Amino acid sequence: MIASRARRLVHFTGLVFTACLISHAARAEQGTLAAVKERGYVTCGASQGTVGFGVPDDQGNWQGLDVDTCRAVAAAVFGDKDKARFVPLSGQQRLTALQTGEVDILPRTTTWTLQRDANGINFTTPNFYDYTAFMVRKDTGVTEAHEMKGASVCVQTGSTTEVIFADVSRALDLDLRPVIFDSVQATRQAFFAGRCDALITDASALASVRASQTTSPDDYIIFPANDEIAALSPAVRHGDDQWFDIVKWSFQALIMAEQLGITQSNVEMMLKSRDPNILRFLGVDKGNGKALGLDEAWASNIIRQLGNYAEIYDRNVGNGSPLKIERGPNKLQRDGGLMLPLPFN
Amino acid sequence: MDPGHNLIGGWVRDARVRSAAFQTVVAVAAIALVWWLAHNTINNLAQRGITVGFDFLGRAARFPISESVLPYSSVDTFAWAFVVGLGNTLFASALIIVLATLLGFATALARRSRNPLARGIGAAFVETMRNTPLVVQLLFWYAMVTLGLPHPHDALNPLPGVYLTDRGLYIPWPRIADFSFAMEYPTLGRFNYSGGLALTPEFTAMLVGLVFYSAAFVGEIIRGGIDAVARGQWEAGRALGLPESLVLRRIIMPQALRVIIPPMTSQYINIVKNTTLALVVGYPDIAFVTATTINQTGQAVEGILLLMIVFLVISIGGSLLMNWYNRRMALTVR
């Protein structure tokens, strides 16, 4: 964190200059898919360490829901989930990094908003539904947002959180006092040092902080800041519709596989299924691969290497992980959630 | 002799013509480079669907700013948020320049003192401050303030109405309401003190860190200036029977200032630029507000451009002021 400010400034200036230097002619000739294939791997923007969504493990392998979302695209394009590389980006850098072509996809807990969507990027399908929440120590006795009058709140800049913070404070007349940092770590440290009464960010990130950075997670309580649900969605650059489609449908494959009951362990067996939907999904009945410009086995490769959405959710953020976040709105639509599989015909 | 050959040969040999030609080539190349960069940038931005322009400045900012000299709320515009950030930068810079100059002057005198203890403390202070990175110092002071002080419920209460907590220092402050003066005292709510005047840990860490760091450099500049005045000037002053303090004020300092002012100008400009590091301890200066604006709007090029112009104006303004002062103080040679 010490050198991060300077490094970030250099990095950021670099990005702006990259925007200046990349010749648009060279870019228009070659689509992202061709560029990715030539390079041999997909480049994804990743978080700077949000357990459950994107963080390297002890061996240096990236793990997380967002990471697996990126690996699904690698599996679809190359048939190999490991042909993906990750660039850690701060909240500030992420959009510019995508716009300037430093990364091919941005699956990084990024909330889908109008201003962002209209400014040079396209959001694909939400891969996680979240809400903004406060985390406070249980001994304060606070359990709801409207009890927070006059509280100090640690906020991280470069996110939709700060706008929601300001809106909640005004709407409920809470006179909240923000303490704002530009780095995730500084924000969390300030909260744990006692500078703030509450930490505000996505509920999933709070669950991640509580699970990984506290000695006794039970001392903390997380509650919603408002009743809005944020759709965290992987995004791509404007101007390449084929790539947009590939990223969108690579994620769709994960939720469709859950809908169809295809898992990592039964995918080989399913190739002999009689259900035409399953056969079309797995590419036994051909056509979907060609339409996207991919191998016909693209969807079966994704499930073979990563499992379906339920499996990915469980091992990264669900009960198979320290975070233990309820499926809630992230259930399939048929189970009462917001994840709606679109037809694979 | 062919007169034409002679004419061209003459031009090539003419230093003025030659340098004018070189300068034209360089100027054209520079303009072409800038034009090419600007052209590419605008093209690239347009191709990525990023709108270019400063229209966003009129929209509501919606993000919070934790503290400011000028009044601000999240319904104000991006333009006003920018001004508020600038206000914070200028306020902090001015305060740091004044305090660092005073502390630097004291350090310089301590280092020139005959008292070995004062000399030692002065030297230790300078070496510690200028040999560790500023960011580390800022984080150190921030950790001291937030970890070293108690929670508001166990606040230190050194004087009546004065409370010292890990949320800041609270002191009574007069509030003007309905043409009447009333002292407003800080009172403890469920979470924090409110009312009175609050000095936040972020501001404190930034102020202490930058004042100490800058004072070390300022002190060395002043010491260098004083040392540059010939020893005979001191002796002459003493021979006239003037006390030490008067010698320093009337004879030494006016001469030392001529040496001090030029490097001091650079130092003051450095202080203004260094305030952008206050971001690591959460003080919302103009760089902080710009970074947030860029993130909320995606207008990176415009934001960086505004920031660069603002700092250029501040720095050049400071330079002009100091140069004018320098000319005024300069030795008039008759």
Side-chain angles (χ1 to χ4, degrees):
Chain A
M1 200 203 119
I2 290 162
S4 79
R5 165 74 184 138
R7 203 182 55 221
R8 200 166 308 158
L9 203 66
V10 170
H11 191 98
F12 193 79
T13 319
L15 286 180
V16 172
F17 278 111
T18 319
C20 301
L21 285 168
I22 297 169
S23 158
H24 64 105
R27 199 151 272 282
E29 286 162 14
Q30 196 186 29
T32 313
L33 179 62
V36 163
K37 278 185 169 165
E38 194 181 301
R39 195 193 306 136
Y41 55 87
V42 182
T43 312
C44 286
S47 81
Q48 292 173 311
T50 305
V51 173
F53 289 85
V55 73
D57 63 14
D58 327 348
Q59 277 96 46
N61 299 316
W62 283 84
Q63 304 285 351
L65 183 75
D66 282 336
V67 167
D68 282 344
T69 304
C70 174
R71 290 195 192 284
V73 179
V77 173
F78 295 107
D80 182 355
K81 70 178 168 69
D82 293 325
K83 293 206 165 148
R85 295 202 187 166
F86 299 91
V87 181
L89 296 168
S90 73
Q92 306 252 4
Q93 295 165 335
R94 56 183 169 180
L95 300 180
T96 320
L98 178 65
Q99 288 163 343
T100 56
E102 200 190 351
V103 297
D104 303 314
I105 315 170
L106 185 70
R108 190 203 165 284
T109 55
T110 305
T111 307
W112 188 341
T113 70
L114 185 148
Q115 287 292 339
R116 286 173 175 170
D117 203 342
N119 258 306
I121 65 174
N122 276 330
F123 286 95
T124 60
T125 310
N127 69 344
F128 191 85
Y129 290 97
D130 209 345
Y131 57 91
T132 303
F134 290 109
M135 177 160 81
V136 299
R137 288 191 63 90
K138 265 189 191 154
D139 56 28
T140 57
V142 176
T143 54
E144 283 178 43
H146 66 78
E147 299 170 66
M148 303 259 302
K149 195 166 179 66
S152 298
V153 182
C154 284
V155 188
Q156 192 216 325
T157 187
S159 59
T160 46
T161 309
E162 52 190 334
V163 170
I164 292 175
F165 167 86
D167 289 352
V168 168
S169 184
R170 282 185 77 82
L172 299 178
D173 191 22
L174 292 178
D175 187 25
L176 296 175
R177 296 160 193 199
V179 183
I180 312 171
F181 297 91
D182 82 324
S183 109
V184 180
Q185 291 309 328
T187 316
R188 292 173 189 174
Q189 271 165 21
F191 171 67
F192 289 118
R195 174 63 185 91
C196 310
D197 300 299
L199 181 63
I200 185 171
T201 187
D202 295 341
S204 57
L206 289 175
S208 159
V209 171
R210 186 167 64 172
S212 61
Q213 296 191 349
T214 63
T215 42
S216 47
D218 291 341
D219 289 351
Y220 297 87
I221 177 171
I222 296 171
F223 53 84
N226 59 12
D227 52 12
E228 288 166 27
I229 282 191
L232 309 189
S233 315
V236 295
R237 264 185 304 286
H238 270 183
D240 190 338
D241 293 346
Q242 185 194 20
W243 186 246
F244 184 30
D245 290 342
I246 289 172
V247 176
K248 201 164 32 183
W249 287 93
S250 295
F251 180 76
Q252 280 291 335
L254 298 174
I255 52 177
M256 181 50 98
E258 185 184 356
Q259 172 100 353
L260 295 172
I262 307 171
T263 64
Q264 197 168 8
S265 51
N266 74 9
V267 61
E268 303 302 337
M269 232 165 58
M270 286 290 192
L271 289 170
K272 298 178 198 89
S273 162
R274 285 190 191 168
D275 184 340
N277 281 324
I278 292 178
L279 294 179
R280 205 176 300 118
F281 177 83
L282 293 174
V284 181
D285 279 355
K286 301 197 187 330
N288 284 347
K290 184 158 181 283
L292 288 173
L294 298 172
D295 190 83
E296 291 295 343
W298 68 277
S300 60
N301 283 337
I302 293 176
I303 308 307
R304 197 173 290 127
Q305 301 198 3
L306 290 161
N308 63 30
Y309 185 72
E311 294 172 281
I312 288 174
Y313 187 97
D314 186 63
R315 71 168 174 261
N316 287 311
V317 296
N319 285 328
S321 76
L323 273 66
K324 304 203 187 316
I325 304 174
E326 299 271 319
R327 269 297 280 274
N330 293 298
K331 285 180 192 156
L332 291 185
Q333 189 270 339
R334 68 162 186 222
D335 303 329
L338 293 169
M339 289 293 175
L340 177 66
L342 303 174
F344 270 60
N345 350 349
Chain B
M1 264 281 188
D2 171 19
H5 176 264
N6 201 5
L7 188 64
I8 294 179
W11 277 351
V12 171
R13 272 192 290 276
D14 187 336
R16 273 177 313 173
V17 174
R18 218 167 47 215
S19 75
F22 276 130
Q23 285 176 33
T24 313
V25 169
V26 171
V28 167
I31 291 167
L33 183 69
V34 169
W35 181 85
W36 181 75
L37 282 175
H39 174 79
N40 260 353
T41 307
I42 291 168
N43 255 329
N44 283 332
L45 292 175
Q47 203 199 350
R48 287 177 178 75
I50 304 170
T51 47
V52 186
F54 290 92
D55 298 348
F56 69 96
L57 285 173
R59 295 207 310 261
R62 299 189 65 199
F63 61 80
I65 294 179
S66 55
E67 57 184 301
S68 58
V69 185
L70 301 167
Y72 172 83
S73 87
S74 58
V75 290
D76 290 326
T77 60
F78 280 110
W80 182 247
F82 208 76
V83 173
V84 165
L86 180 61
N88 278 355
T89 293
L90 291 177
F91 173 68
S93 304
L95 207 55
I96 292 163
I97 285 174
V98 171
L99 294 176
T101 306
L102 293 176
L103 185 60
F105 191 67
T107 314
L109 292 186
R111 290 204 69 178
R112 295 194 81 270
S113 158
R114 288 204 198 92
N115 181 339
L117 184 65
R119 240 180 9 243
I121 291 174
F125 173 76
V126 168
E127 295 310 332
T128 319
M129 289 303 149
R130 71 175 180 184
N131 292 327
T132 47
L134 176 55
V135 177
V136 176
Q137 291 185 32
L138 289 173
L139 291 173
F140 169 80
W141 292 115
Y142 191 63
M144 288 291 283
V145 179
T146 50
L147 292 172
L149 292 171
H151 192 266
H153 293 288
D154 318 302
L156 297 176
N157 191 358
L159 292 167
V162 175
Y163 300 94
L164 197 55
T165 77
D166 59 2
R167 309 291 165 81
L169 171 70
Y170 296 85
I171 55 172
W173 199 251
R175 173 138 306 184
I176 307 157
D178 305 332
F179 301 102
S180 66
F181 253 147
M183 279 309 256
E184 191 183 70
Y185 289 90
T187 47
L188 182 61
R190 179 167 186 176
F191 296 102
N192 282 306
Y193 281 93
S194 53
L197 186 74
L199 198 61
T200 65
E202 291 74 35
F203 184 77
T204 311
M206 185 229 21
L207 191 69
V208 173
L210 274 163
V211 164
F212 278 25
Y213 180 80
S214 313
F217 290 92
V218 168
E220 288 297 276
I221 292 171
I222 294 178
R223 186 171 72 101
I226 294 176
D227 282 349
V229 178
R231 185 181 281 269
Q233 298 287 321
W234 287 93
E235 286 160 358
R238 286 182 202 128
L240 287 172
L242 295 174
E244 285 291 286
S245 64
L246 215 56
V247 176
L248 182 69
R249 218 172 69 218
R250 284 299 170 84
I251 298 175
I252 306 301
M253 278 319 286
Q255 299 182 68
L257 272 179
R258 292 177 192 133
V259 182
I260 291 172
I261 290 170
M264 201 70 124
T265 308
S266 311
Q267 190 54 42
Y268 286 168
I269 292 171
N270 269 341
I271 289 176
V272 176
K273 290 189 291 187
N274 280 346
T275 55
T276 55
L277 283 171
L279 177 139
V280 298
V281 291
Y283 182 75
D285 73 319
I286 190 166
F288 192 106
V289 172
T290 307
T292 307
T293 303
I294 289 173
N295 194 261
Q296 296 294 340
T297 61
Q299 311 282 6
V301 177
E302 292 88 338
I304 297 280
L305 209 61
L306 275 179
L307 191 61
M308 274 169 26
I309 290 170
V310 162
F311 272 101
L312 216 56
V313 168
I314 296 176
S315 298
I316 292 175
S319 288
L320 289 177
L321 194 70
M322 290 299 275
N323 286 345
W324 167 80
Y325 185 60
N326 192 28
R327 271 198 308 279
R328 227 184 62 127
M329 293 306 292
L331 199 63
T332 320
V333 183
R334 290 188 184 89

